[in-house]
Amino acid sequence: MSKKFRKIVSYIIIGVVCSLGILFFTQKKEKEVILPPLLEPIRIGGIIPLTGSRAEYGKPLQRAAQMAVDEINAGGGIRGEQIEIFWEDGKCEEKAAATAVNRLIRSYRTQYIIGGICSLETLKVAAITQAERVLLISPASTSNK
């Protein structure tokens, strides 16, 4: 085969592939899948130091998270559902954090938890949230454990 013939065949193949792609993407879709709204508000728990010497770190996080929740809810929420956020004082202590996470999971039925700020809080909470199958996101802990 000559170079010129291979080049022409390549252009034809590219043209066919592009045409098929255009046809595929311009076809009418039967129905767009729209997810139904959730049945209840999205409940998020927060474990941060609200009292004691580390409250200076927890309070700004609490204000920032509440501002985000207020903005999301004002815009219609997530998939039409509002967000509720519940705060517990972890005090940067293991025992307080364990009490806080258990209260958030059992009393408030949260499925998502933000916290802690201190690694001791987070390590204690992580073991509990993992066992309870609750998503934990720590915004500041740095322990390599």
Side-chain angles (χ1 to χ4, degrees):
M1 275 195 201
S2 71
K3 279 186 173 183
K4 189 174 183 178
F5 181 76
R6 279 187 283 185
K7 196 173 188 180
I8 292 171
V9 170
S10 296
Y11 286 131
I12 291 171
I13 291 172
I14 291 170
V16 169
V17 169
C18 288
S19 297
L20 289 174
I22 291 169
L23 285 173
F24 176 77
F25 288 110
T26 58
Q27 291 295 315
K28 274 189 165 180
K29 303 217 179 246
E30 290 199 19
K31 273 192 176 179
E32 225 177 278
V33 176
I34 298 173
L35 297 173
L38 301 171
L39 299 176
E40 59 182 50
I42 298 166
R43 297 171 184 254
I44 300 172
I47 300 172
I48 54 176
L50 296 171
T51 60
S53 63
R54 303 287 187 203
E56 64 183 299
Y57 302 111
K59 296 274 186 179
L61 176 64
Q62 182 184 32
R63 282 192 301 273
Q66 190 61 55
M67 285 172 55
V69 167
D70 292 344
E71 187 176 318
I72 291 167
N73 285 342
I78 297 175
R79 290 180 26 203
E81 297 300 328
Q82 298 293 294
I83 298 172
E84 293 179 344
I85 192 161
F86 304 94
W87 296 102
E88 290 291 330
D89 189 1
K91 301 179 184 178
C92 278
E93 300 171 1
E94 289 180 77
K95 187 175 180 181
T99 301
V101 74
N102 283 314
R103 185 176 299 125
L104 288 169
I105 293 170
R106 288 176 180 58
S107 297
Y108 297 109
R109 298 183 331 259
T110 59
Q111 287 296 308
Y112 312 97
I113 295 183
I114 302 167
I117 287 181
C118 302
S119 293
L120 286 176
E121 280 177 315
T122 306
L123 291 172
K124 186 66 173 183
V125 167
I128 297 168
T129 56
Q130 185 174 14
E132 296 290 330
R133 302 183 61 83
V134 172
L135 178 65
L136 172 67
I137 299 172
S138 174
S141 295
T142 59
S143 173
N144 63 356
K145 293 180 184 177

